[in-house]
mmCIF file of all heavy atoms in Angstrom:
data_model
loop_
_atom_site.group_PDB
_atom_site.id
_atom_site.type_symbol
_atom_site.label_atom_id
_atom_site.label_comp_id
_atom_site.label_asym_id
_atom_site.label_seq_id
_atom_site.Cartn_x
_atom_site.Cartn_y
_atom_site.Cartn_z
ATOM 1 N N PRO A 658 -47.178 -145.907 46.786
ATOM 2 C CA PRO A 658 -45.868 -145.596 47.371
ATOM 3 C C PRO A 658 -45.270 -146.792 48.078
ATOM 4 O O PRO A 658 -45.991 -147.698 48.524
ATOM 5 C CB PRO A 658 -46.186 -144.448 48.342
ATOM 6 C CG PRO A 658 -47.633 -144.592 48.649
ATOM 7 C CD PRO A 658 -48.272 -145.135 47.411
ATOM 8 N N LEU A 659 -43.956 -146.806 48.167
ATOM 9 C CA LEU A 659 -43.282 -147.914 48.823
ATOM 10 C C LEU A 659 -43.713 -148.033 50.276
ATOM 11 O O LEU A 659 -43.917 -149.137 50.790
ATOM 12 C CB LEU A 659 -41.764 -147.730 48.729
ATOM 13 C CG LEU A 659 -40.904 -148.885 49.215
ATOM 14 C CD1 LEU A 659 -41.217 -150.162 48.449
ATOM 15 C CD2 LEU A 659 -39.423 -148.544 49.080
ATOM 16 N N VAL A 660 -43.854 -146.909 50.959
ATOM 17 C CA VAL A 660 -44.379 -146.864 52.321
ATOM 18 C C VAL A 660 -45.735 -146.174 52.265
ATOM 19 O O VAL A 660 -45.815 -144.994 51.926
ATOM 20 C CB VAL A 660 -43.426 -146.122 53.273
ATOM 21 C CG1 VAL A 660 -44.023 -146.050 54.678
ATOM 22 C CG2 VAL A 660 -42.069 -146.806 53.315
ATOM 23 N N GLU A 661 -46.779 -146.909 52.569
ATOM 24 C CA GLU A 661 -48.145 -146.409 52.428
ATOM 25 C C GLU A 661 -48.480 -145.444 53.549
ATOM 26 O O GLU A 661 -48.369 -145.771 54.725
ATOM 27 C CB GLU A 661 -49.123 -147.574 52.435
ATOM 28 C CG GLU A 661 -50.462 -147.251 51.837
ATOM 29 C CD GLU A 661 -50.408 -147.082 50.341
ATOM 30 O OE1 GLU A 661 -49.729 -147.873 49.674
ATOM 31 O OE2 GLU A 661 -51.048 -146.131 49.841
ATOM 32 N N LYS A 662 -48.905 -144.235 53.168
ATOM 33 C CA LYS A 662 -49.325 -143.257 54.154
ATOM 34 C C LYS A 662 -50.819 -143.355 54.444
ATOM 35 O O LYS A 662 -51.256 -143.111 55.562
ATOM 36 C CB LYS A 662 -48.979 -141.846 53.669
ATOM 37 C CG LYS A 662 -47.481 -141.607 53.496
ATOM 38 C CD LYS A 662 -47.213 -140.200 53.020
ATOM 39 C CE LYS A 662 -45.708 -139.968 52.842
ATOM 40 N NZ LYS A 662 -45.418 -138.591 52.352
ATOM 41 N N ASN A 663 -51.581 -143.702 53.429
ATOM 42 C CA ASN A 663 -53.024 -143.838 53.589
ATOM 43 C C ASN A 663 -53.456 -145.186 53.030
ATOM 44 O O ASN A 663 -53.764 -145.312 51.838
ATOM 45 C CB ASN A 663 -53.760 -142.708 52.863
ATOM 46 C CG ASN A 663 -55.273 -142.779 53.063
ATOM 47 O OD1 ASN A 663 -55.744 -143.468 53.965
ATOM 48 N ND2 ASN A 663 -56.013 -142.080 52.220
ATOM 49 N N PRO A 664 -53.464 -146.248 53.851
ATOM 50 C CA PRO A 664 -53.790 -147.592 53.342
ATOM 51 C C PRO A 664 -55.175 -147.693 52.725
ATOM 52 O O PRO A 664 -55.399 -148.516 51.848
ATOM 53 C CB PRO A 664 -53.669 -148.479 54.584
ATOM 54 C CG PRO A 664 -52.797 -147.701 55.529
ATOM 55 C CD PRO A 664 -53.107 -146.260 55.269
ATOM 56 N N GLN A 665 -56.134 -146.866 53.159
ATOM 57 C CA GLN A 665 -57.493 -146.956 52.637
ATOM 58 C C GLN A 665 -57.585 -146.484 51.188
ATOM 59 O O GLN A 665 -58.509 -146.851 50.466
ATOM 60 C CB GLN A 665 -58.443 -146.116 53.509
ATOM 61 C CG GLN A 665 -58.596 -146.645 54.920
ATOM 62 C CD GLN A 665 -59.207 -148.029 54.952
ATOM 63 O OE1 GLN A 665 -60.023 -148.369 54.109
ATOM 64 N NE2 GLN A 665 -58.829 -148.817 55.954
ATOM 65 N N SER A 666 -56.621 -145.696 50.730
ATOM 66 C CA SER A 666 -56.677 -145.170 49.369
ATOM 67 C C SER A 666 -56.463 -146.251 48.327
ATOM 68 O O SER A 666 -56.788 -146.058 47.157
ATOM 69 C CB SER A 666 -55.629 -144.068 49.193
ATOM 70 O OG SER A 666 -54.324 -144.596 49.388
ATOM 71 N N ILE A 667 -55.919 -147.390 48.725
ATOM 72 C CA ILE A 667 -55.685 -148.472 47.767
ATOM 73 C C ILE A 667 -57.002 -149.086 47.302
ATOM 74 O O ILE A 667 -57.080 -149.717 46.244
ATOM 75 C CB ILE A 667 -54.787 -149.554 48.390
ATOM 76 C CG1 ILE A 667 -54.291 -150.528 47.315
ATOM 77 C CG2 ILE A 667 -55.509 -150.318 49.474
ATOM 78 C CD1 ILE A 667 -53.295 -151.533 47.829
ATOM 79 N N LEU A 668 -58.066 -148.891 48.068
ATOM 80 C CA LEU A 668 -59.345 -149.489 47.724
ATOM 81 C C LEU A 668 -60.086 -148.714 46.651
ATOM 82 O O LEU A 668 -61.081 -149.204 46.111
ATOM 83 C CB LEU A 668 -60.232 -149.568 48.978
ATOM 84 C CG LEU A 668 -59.635 -150.347 50.146
ATOM 85 C CD1 LEU A 668 -60.586 -150.302 51.339
ATOM 86 C CD2 LEU A 668 -59.358 -151.787 49.758
ATOM 87 N N LYS A 669 -59.634 -147.517 46.302
ATOM 88 C CA LYS A 669 -60.325 -146.690 45.320
ATOM 89 C C LYS A 669 -59.356 -146.270 44.225
ATOM 90 O O LYS A 669 -58.819 -145.161 44.237
ATOM 91 C CB LYS A 669 -60.927 -145.454 45.993
ATOM 92 C CG LYS A 669 -61.976 -145.777 47.060
ATOM 93 C CD LYS A 669 -62.523 -144.514 47.699
ATOM 94 C CE LYS A 669 -63.563 -144.850 48.754
ATOM 95 N NZ LYS A 669 -64.099 -143.613 49.391
ATOM 96 N N PRO A 670 -59.098 -147.138 43.241
ATOM 97 C CA PRO A 670 -58.189 -146.770 42.153
ATOM 98 C C PRO A 670 -58.807 -145.719 41.252
ATOM 99 O O PRO A 670 -60.027 -145.663 41.065
ATOM 100 C CB PRO A 670 -57.978 -148.091 41.409
ATOM 101 C CG PRO A 670 -59.214 -148.879 41.708
ATOM 102 C CD PRO A 670 -59.613 -148.499 43.103
ATOM 103 N N HIS A 671 -57.969 -144.893 40.678
ATOM 104 C CA HIS A 671 -58.422 -143.837 39.785
ATOM 105 C C HIS A 671 -58.689 -144.409 38.404
ATOM 106 O O HIS A 671 -57.865 -145.130 37.835
ATOM 107 C CB HIS A 671 -57.366 -142.735 39.700
ATOM 108 C CG HIS A 671 -57.703 -141.667 38.698
ATOM 109 N ND1 HIS A 671 -58.718 -140.765 38.886
ATOM 110 C CD2 HIS A 671 -57.149 -141.381 37.476
ATOM 111 C CE1 HIS A 671 -58.779 -139.948 37.844
ATOM 112 N NE2 HIS A 671 -57.839 -140.300 36.980
ATOM 113 N N SER A 672 -59.860 -144.111 37.838
ATOM 114 C CA SER A 672 -60.212 -144.624 36.513
ATOM 115 C C SER A 672 -59.629 -143.721 35.440
ATOM 116 O O SER A 672 -59.876 -142.510 35.442
ATOM 117 C CB SER A 672 -61.734 -144.690 36.364
ATOM 118 O OG SER A 672 -62.285 -145.565 37.324
ATOM 119 N N PRO A 673 -58.849 -144.261 34.501
ATOM 120 C CA PRO A 673 -58.255 -143.444 33.446
ATOM 121 C C PRO A 673 -59.291 -143.039 32.414
ATOM 122 O O PRO A 673 -60.375 -143.617 32.307
ATOM 123 C CB PRO A 673 -57.201 -144.369 32.829
ATOM 124 C CG PRO A 673 -57.734 -145.743 33.076
ATOM 125 C CD PRO A 673 -58.464 -145.665 34.382
ATOM 126 N N THR A 674 -58.960 -142.036 31.622
ATOM 127 C CA THR A 674 -59.827 -141.574 30.543
ATOM 128 C C THR A 674 -59.253 -141.990 29.216
ATOM 129 O O THR A 674 -58.049 -142.174 29.065
ATOM 130 C CB THR A 674 -59.967 -140.045 30.589
ATOM 131 O OG1 THR A 674 -58.652 -139.447 30.519
ATOM 132 C CG2 THR A 674 -60.644 -139.596 31.884
ATOM 133 N N TYR A 675 -60.118 -142.150 28.234
ATOM 134 C CA TYR A 675 -59.682 -142.634 26.925
ATOM 135 C C TYR A 675 -60.521 -141.979 25.841
ATOM 136 O O TYR A 675 -61.716 -141.721 26.022
ATOM 137 C CB TYR A 675 -59.834 -144.156 26.834
ATOM 138 C CG TYR A 675 -59.613 -144.703 25.447
ATOM 139 C CD1 TYR A 675 -58.339 -144.835 24.949
ATOM 140 C CD2 TYR A 675 -60.688 -145.052 24.636
ATOM 141 C CE1 TYR A 675 -58.122 -145.324 23.669
ATOM 142 C CE2 TYR A 675 -60.489 -145.536 23.367
ATOM 143 C CZ TYR A 675 -59.202 -145.668 22.891
ATOM 144 O OH TYR A 675 -58.990 -146.140 21.623
ATOM 145 N N ASN A 676 -59.883 -141.675 24.709
ATOM 146 C CA ASN A 676 -60.612 -141.223 23.533
ATOM 147 C C ASN A 676 -60.194 -142.043 22.339
ATOM 148 O O ASN A 676 -59.177 -142.732 22.346
ATOM 149 C CB ASN A 676 -60.364 -139.724 23.267
ATOM 150 C CG ASN A 676 -58.887 -139.392 23.135
ATOM 151 O OD1 ASN A 676 -58.201 -139.969 22.302
ATOM 152 N ND2 ASN A 676 -58.391 -138.480 23.961
ATOM 153 N N ASP A 677 -60.963 -141.989 21.249
ATOM 154 C CA ASP A 677 -60.747 -142.846 20.106
ATOM 155 C C ASP A 677 -59.454 -142.534 19.373
ATOM 156 O O ASP A 677 -58.972 -143.348 18.576
ATOM 157 C CB ASP A 677 -61.922 -142.731 19.122
ATOM 158 C CG ASP A 677 -63.181 -143.318 19.703
ATOM 159 O OD1 ASP A 677 -63.050 -144.158 20.603
ATOM 160 O OD2 ASP A 677 -64.290 -142.920 19.281
ATOM 161 N N GLU A 678 -58.879 -141.376 19.606
ATOM 162 C CA GLU A 678 -57.640 -141.021 18.937
ATOM 163 C C GLU A 678 -56.428 -141.605 19.639
ATOM 164 O O GLU A 678 -55.320 -141.502 19.133
ATOM 165 C CB GLU A 678 -57.502 -139.502 18.857
ATOM 166 C CG GLU A 678 -58.623 -138.849 18.038
ATOM 167 C CD GLU A 678 -58.464 -137.341 18.006
ATOM 168 O OE1 GLU A 678 -57.529 -136.844 18.674
ATOM 169 O OE2 GLU A 678 -59.247 -136.673 17.323
#
Side-chain angles (χ1 to χ4, degrees):
L659 187 58
V660 178
E661 200 71 42
K662 297 180 180 179
N663 183 16
Q665 294 297 328
S666 62
I667 192 174
L668 303 178
K669 298 179 180 180
H671 175 70
S672 299
T674 57
Y675 171 77
N676 56 56
D677 292 337
E678 298 179 357

